[in-house]
Amino acid sequence: MFDQQGDSLPLSLIYQLMKALHELTNTMKGRLLFDLFPDEMPALLDNLAEVCADFHTNQEDYKKNWHDGFMPFDYWFSLSEECAALLKKHGQKVRKNSKVFSDQLFYGYTALFVNDRIVKYAACSGNSKFKQAVELFYT
């Protein structure tokens, strides 16, 4: 199997592509998304870091206007802070390595925050194939 540039895909990616969609874990989806769209990752990660920073800076405003019945603001805020810490801790590795990206950002409850941000980022992305992949994985 080959990617968009004609390069051979890694065996781990081929294995993931062969699984049924409902069998993919958050970590597998994250890695697959990274491996299929590596050029989209820098902007996605920049957006993720910006959202985390905005949450931190404007915490009180967000808290006052929080009307999401899915999860209390304080918990969502803690996921944002955890995500920001992971981005800082893993720096360039999370930008260059699909395994680090997926293992760090899509493990545990932080994946809830990251998945939400991916869906929101994709809605504004100019890459129609990326939008379709995100829609397929997350909706």
Side-chain angles (χ1 to χ4, degrees):
M1 294 183 101
F2 299 94
D3 65 10
Q4 293 173 345
Q5 289 81 27
D7 297 327
S8 176
L9 295 173
L11 285 177
S12 63
L13 178 58
I14 293 169
Y15 173 71
Q16 288 179 21
L17 287 170
M18 295 171 65
K19 283 188 152 223
L21 187 59
H22 71 275
E23 293 177 353
L24 294 176
T25 65
N26 281 320
T27 305
M28 290 174 176
K29 289 177 187 178
R31 188 162 188 186
L32 187 56
L33 202 61
F34 188 106
D35 286 338
L36 289 172
F37 301 98
D39 294 341
E40 198 71 36
M41 293 304 111
L44 169 66
L45 289 165
D46 287 346
N47 179 267
L48 188 56
E50 288 170 13
V51 168
C52 291
D54 187 55
F55 251 74
H56 184 79
T57 302
N58 299 302
Q59 176 183 1
E60 291 305 316
D61 290 337
Y62 280 107
K63 191 172 191 166
K64 276 190 246 174
N65 297 310
W66 191 256
H67 302 293
D68 190 340
F70 172 65
M71 187 174 297
F73 173 80
D74 290 335
Y75 190 66
W76 195 250
F77 180 76
S78 72
L79 295 177
S80 169
E81 293 286 284
E82 187 175 326
C83 180
L86 289 167
L87 291 171
K88 184 176 181 177
K89 178 180 179 181
H90 297 286
Q92 289 301 312
K93 289 179 186 174
V94 79
R95 293 174 169 273
K96 297 187 186 275
N97 186 304
S98 65
K99 182 164 176 33
V100 174
F101 174 83
S102 60
D103 286 352
Q104 296 304 316
L105 296 178
F106 294 87
Y107 181 76
Y109 292 112
T110 308
L112 294 170
F113 181 81
V114 175
N115 288 344
D116 177 71
R117 294 312 318 163
I118 287 173
V119 169
K120 289 175 178 165
Y121 170 84
C124 300
S125 173
N127 185 332
S128 62
K129 290 184 180 187
F130 180 75
K131 279 183 183 181
Q132 288 175 328
V134 169
E135 188 175 316
L136 180 67
F137 288 170
Y138 299 105
T139 60

